[in-house]
């Protein structure tokens, strides 16, 4: 007890003499509130770690008169970003506005003023990470963005620091919590897509306009960042094919379960020789694979390094405290003078960026239930060099229309599309309802 009291008094005295590091924050939404809360909650732990005190000096908001529960004094708020960018006392600026503009202009101006930047802005880093890193390097400042991918999971600094000795073969992630929540609810509670989306919105996992999440754009930004860092080559978002989850029906989910698979929105980058196959798609994955156990709003990143082997990181991919934790990790790293924040987006062309996966596919048709249909479709697949692994025809939907489900052996998507183009002309085929890639992680 005596030693604890003595230590506490010493800590208090040290704290009085500690240098204060002033932070500016651009934006005061959910993540900024989490950041402020952690600074308050874990104040002495943070000071112990860096030997300095953190203090929020100014915060950019749209409406300075709005009542907020941040615990920050009212006079800290400003509507002028340049009050923060040009403040000589502010060392680190945390950008939490999101989107490309005006965030990009603010960050550029701040880097030119030699401020360090910490951001959670995945769209901006995916679009201009290289350009901003160059500007940071020229100005001797750091640009850190751990919070831009998978919220609380420390994946960016892990790939670029702790695993830097590895050549990577694969990075595959469930990096969007909204879609993972929706797919989990469809799988486990039998909800239809629209019902699950409404529930996600009610719980605050999905935005009122969920398009960036459900159409796959959010996951594209994140895999662009992860793959650019892991493979040492800037990968452009325009080169990443994507498909969202809006077409996934409960029928697809049920067939997946019957076949001992789960459907997940995977963001994946795989190295094959001098090519990187990259894309974002709903995917059948084996029910026993660790990524199948990632449920609801949780995220996970699975990777293979040539030295470390397989690794999987799991945690909350969004939310005020997990994302705030990632931001503070970057702030602490800057203040400890670590090497993180160096140039990670390299403008070189080591690899060709492709999407040429040779994988099995799940294909669901709605067909007219009459003799010869199955054979006709199977022949069209065969004529296009596609070998079938299994077929299921269960119950009628009424109106003489029956679902017919095929799982193919590994095939190129272009051959699948050629076969489907032919099959689509058959009058016995009412609809090609869905095509989903199967990933067996072999
Ligand atoms: N909207 C994202 C998600 C979180 O649903 O995972 C922030 O990147």
């Amino acid at each position: 007890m005596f030693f604890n009291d003595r230590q506490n008094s010493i800590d208090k005295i040290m704290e009085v003499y500690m240098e204060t590091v002033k932070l500016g924050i651009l934006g005061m939404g959910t993540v900024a509130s989490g950041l402020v809360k952690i600074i308050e909650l874990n104040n002495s732990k943070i000071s112990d770690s860096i030997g300095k005190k953190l203090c929020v000096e100014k915060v950019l908001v749209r409406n300075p008169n709005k009542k907020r529960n941040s615990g920050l004094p009212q006079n800290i708020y400003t509507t002028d970003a340049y009050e923060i960018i040009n403040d000589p006392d502010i060392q680190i600026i945390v950008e939490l506005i999101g989107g490309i503009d005006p965030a990009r202009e603010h960050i550029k101006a701040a880097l030119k003023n030699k401020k360090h930047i910490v951001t959670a802005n995945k769209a901006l880093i995916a679009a201009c990470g290289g350009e901003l890193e160059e500007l940071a390097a020229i100005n001797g400042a750091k640009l850190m963005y751990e919070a831009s991918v998978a919220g609380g999971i420390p994946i960016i600094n892990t790939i670029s620091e702790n695993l830097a000795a590895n050549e990577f073969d694969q990075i595959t992630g469930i990096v969007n919590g909204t879609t993972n929540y929706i797919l989990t609810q469809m799988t486990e509670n039998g909800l239809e897509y629209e019902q699950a989306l409404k529930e996600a919105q009610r719980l605050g996992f999905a935005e009122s306009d969920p398009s960036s999440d459900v159409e796959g754009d959010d996951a594209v930004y994140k895999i662009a960042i992860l793959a650019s860092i892991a493979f040492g080559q800037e990968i452009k978002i325009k080169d990443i094919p994507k498909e969202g989850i809006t077409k996934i029906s409960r029928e697809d989910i049920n067939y997946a379960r019957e076949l001992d698979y789960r459907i997940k929105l995977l963001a994946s980058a795989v190295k094959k020789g001098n090519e990187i196959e990259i894309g974002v798609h709903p995917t059948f994955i084996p029910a026993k694979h660790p990524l199948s156990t990632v449920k609801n709003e949780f995220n996970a990143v699975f990777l293979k390094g040539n030295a470390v082997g397989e690794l999987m990181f799991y945690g909350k991919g969004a939310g005020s405290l997990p994302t705030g934790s990632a931001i503070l990790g970057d702030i602490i790293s800057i203040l400890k003078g670590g090497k993180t924040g160096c140039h990670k987006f390299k403008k070189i062309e080591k690899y060709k960026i492709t999407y040429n996966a040779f994988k099995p596919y799940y294909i669901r048709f709605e067909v007219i239930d009459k003799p010869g249909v199955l054979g006709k479709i199977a022949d069209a697949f065969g004529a296009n060099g596609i070998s079938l692994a299994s077929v299921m025809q269960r119950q009628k939907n009424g109106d003489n229309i029956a679902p017919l489900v095929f799982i193919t052996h590994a095939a190129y998507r272009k051959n699948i599309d050629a076969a489907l183009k032919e099959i689509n002309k058959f009058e016995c085929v009412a609809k090609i309802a869905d095509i989903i890639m199967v990933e067996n992680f072999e």
Side-chain angles (χ1 to χ4, degrees), residues 263-280:
I263 301 178
K264 295 286 185 189
L265 184 71
L266 291 191
S268 190
V270 179
K271 188 169 72 187
K272 297 251 171 78
N274 63 351
E275 294 191 351
I276 292 171
E277 280 177 3
I278 186 164
V280 169

Side-chain angles (χ1 to χ4, degrees), residues 227-348:
S228 296
I229 297 169
F231 297 115
Q233 170 175 330
E234 184 167 5
I235 296 174
K236 305 241 176 334
I237 47 184
K238 72 168 175 48
D239 293 334
I240 304 180
K242 58 129 192 162
E243 194 185 323
I245 63 160
T246 53
K247 283 197 308 197
I248 304 290
S249 72
R250 223 171 57 191
E251 268 183 285
D252 299 319
I253 297 267
N254 291 342
Y255 281 117
R257 283 183 73 110
E258 272 187 57
L259 294 159
D260 221 11
Y261 284 93
R262 298 290 178 267
I263 301 178
K264 295 286 185 189
L265 184 71
L266 291 191
S268 190
V270 179
K271 188 169 72 187
K272 297 251 171 78
N274 63 351
E275 294 191 351
I276 292 171
E277 280 177 3
I278 186 164
V280 169
H281 303 277
T283 311
F284 271 45
I285 62 173
K288 61 178 188 315
H289 190 274
L291 283 173
S292 282
T293 64
V294 179
K295 295 187 182 170
N296 290 317
E297 75 276 24
F298 279 82
N299 282 197
V301 180
F302 172 82
L303 51 84
K304 279 188 201 166
N306 67 346
V308 74
E310 293 184 358
L311 288 171
M312 190 166 117
F313 300 83
Y314 169 87
K316 285 194 176 153
S320 63
L321 294 179
T323 313
S325 158
I327 289 168
L328 272 156
D330 278 351
I331 293 173
I332 290 168
S333 169
I334 289 172
L335 294 171
K336 282 185 163 178
K339 285 271 182 282
T340 41
C342 308
H343 203 172
K344 297 193 274 284
F345 280 78
K346 298 200 167 58
K347 283 194 196 313
I348 46 177

